[in-house]
Amino acid sequence: MEGFEIKIKALTNDIIEISEMMGFRAIKELSTKDGARIDLAILRGDEKILAIEFENSYKWIKQRILYNAIKAHRDGFKHLWVVYPFRGRPLRNSWVTEYITELGVKVEVVHPKEVEDELRTFLTVIAK
């Protein structure tokens, strides 16, 4: 598998800066109601816009994505991005995809190189 090391600290700071420039608030390590943590949360006031999780390993990735989707769902997020440095589609042809659909969480697996552009686009649409 071809990978790409995520520079989480730098990427997190960039996401926070973009979010704040666009009128949103970003919180690192958001504590959820049930004691879990979301790596980075984008909010508009109290409205939960986007949960972002960083995954640096391809081991058990389907299960990690499912766990992240459950955390996001239980805390009221409808959108989850999993920043994942490997090419390929980890949720293709998976029972995990079906279960996440039942939760009602829209999950996207985003490569670290694409996060900033995707975020600008996503927040522009949400802001309307």
Side-chain angles (χ1 to χ4, degrees):
M1 285 201 157
E2 182 181 325
F4 173 90
E5 183 181 340
I6 302 176
K7 295 185 177 9
I8 294 174
K9 187 174 182 177
L11 191 53
T12 297
N13 290 337
D14 291 345
I15 292 169
I16 290 169
E17 183 178 328
I18 291 166
S19 299
E20 290 176 354
M21 285 184 345
M22 296 184 74
F24 295 85
R25 181 169 52 116
I27 300 173
K28 290 189 271 189
E29 295 292 326
L30 176 76
S31 293
T32 65
K33 295 178 274 191
D34 57 2
R37 290 192 188 267
I38 294 174
D39 290 342
L40 188 58
I42 309 295
L43 309 173
R44 178 173 44 199
D46 291 332
E47 182 184 7
K48 295 177 178 176
I49 302 296
L50 176 64
I52 301 173
E53 296 285 352
F54 299 97
E55 293 295 345
N56 253 335
S57 172
Y58 60 87
K59 239 179 155 180
W60 300 99
I61 190 61
K62 289 178 186 178
Q63 291 82 349
R64 289 170 186 256
I65 292 172
L66 176 57
Y67 172 65
N68 291 331
I70 291 169
K71 287 191 304 184
H73 168 72
R74 289 178 57 91
D75 209 54
F77 288 89
K78 294 192 182 335
H79 299 277
L80 166 67
W81 284 7
V82 177
V83 180
Y84 181 66
F86 300 95
R87 293 292 174 192
R89 299 185 344 230
L91 292 179
R92 189 170 134 191
N93 301 326
S94 172
W95 65 269
V96 171
T97 304
E98 293 176 26
Y99 190 77
I100 290 170
T101 300
E102 291 176 24
L103 289 175
V105 177
K106 172 106 171 75
V107 176
E108 287 187 52
V109 178
V110 182
H111 192 275
K113 290 181 179 179
E114 300 166 352
V115 168
E116 292 179 32
D117 289 339
E118 293 288 328
L119 182 65
R120 285 184 185 92
T121 301
F122 177 82
L123 293 180
T124 298
V125 170
I126 292 293
K128 292 181 181 180

